[in-house]
Amino acid sequence: METINPFTIIGLAAGTLTTIAFLPQVIKTWQSKSAKDISLGMFSIFCTGVFLWIIYGFSVGDLPVLLANIVTFILAFTILIFKFRYG
Amino acid sequence: METINPFTIIGLAAGTLTTIAFLPQVIKTWQSKSAKDISLGMFSIFCTGVFLWIIYGFSVGDLPVLLANIVTFILAFTILIFKFRYG
């Protein structure tokens, strides 16, 4: 695992943003109970890719990539479940 | 820039998936001209985060992170524009 340096902070900021980005979508879909305009293909492929990012981040010991993708996976997978529930 | 190794291949596969994931959403929204269920908050925050990932990937010389996020930015930004156009 790398030492914390300025680049790691940029990476963590990037990871925080691309992760929390999914929260407004989770909340919106939860409240509207409508997922018609959301692409099933997008969230299926995305969740698979994020899972591979987790393996990659762990393999190369990249903390921002690892942490960000674990949380992103949880949120994107929630949207995928909503898509199945609310169409 | 790191040498190509098995981890880099996993990273490139991850990046390919989380990047092409946005393509079905771009196509769906383009065809339906409807973006009601898509969260403006999600795609605004996401594009900002992806931009920081580009800076991070460039800074640490991480090829998968850099390449994936450049293409992801183009696609996610397109969805953001669609959100403004089709509400």
Side-chain angles (χ1 to χ4, degrees):
Chain A
M1 206 60 84
E2 69 192 301
T3 327
I4 299 289
N5 64 47
F7 298 146
T8 303
I9 292 167
I10 294 174
L12 287 169
T16 303
L17 289 178
T18 51
T19 298
I20 61 165
F22 287 85
L23 207 55
Q25 184 68 65
V26 168
I27 294 166
K28 184 185 176 75
T29 312
W30 172 257
Q31 286 177 339
S32 68
K33 311 270 185 259
S34 171
K36 183 178 59 66
D37 296 338
I38 291 172
S39 162
L40 175 62
M42 171 177 164
F43 282 91
S44 317
I45 302 169
F46 194 78
C47 285
T48 312
V50 170
F51 188 76
L52 287 184
W53 274 126
I54 293 170
I55 296 172
Y56 174 74
F58 183 79
S59 305
V60 301
D62 188 314
L63 190 65
V65 172
L66 181 63
L67 292 182
N69 283 288
I70 289 172
V71 185
T72 302
F73 184 83
I74 295 166
L75 294 172
F77 196 72
T78 304
I79 296 167
L80 188 60
I81 292 167
F82 283 169
K83 176 64 185 172
F84 279 110
R85 273 185 76 170
Y86 306 129
Chain B
M1 207 58 84
E2 69 193 302
T3 328
I4 299 291
N5 64 48
F7 298 145
T8 303
I9 292 166
I10 295 174
L12 287 169
T16 304
L17 289 177
T18 52
T19 298
I20 61 164
F22 287 85
L23 208 55
Q25 184 68 65
V26 168
I27 294 166
K28 184 186 176 75
T29 311
W30 173 257
Q31 286 176 339
S32 69
K33 312 270 185 260
S34 171
K36 183 177 61 64
D37 296 338
I38 289 171
S39 162
L40 175 63
M42 170 177 165
F43 282 91
S44 317
I45 301 169
F46 194 78
C47 285
T48 312
V50 170
F51 188 76
L52 287 185
W53 275 125
I54 293 171
I55 296 172
Y56 174 74
F58 183 80
S59 304
V60 302
D62 188 315
L63 190 64
V65 172
L66 180 63
L67 292 182
N69 282 289
I70 288 172
V71 185
T72 302
F73 185 82
I74 295 167
L75 293 172
F77 196 72
T78 303
I79 297 167
L80 187 61
I81 292 167
F82 283 169
K83 177 64 186 173
F84 279 110
R85 273 185 75 170
Y86 306 130

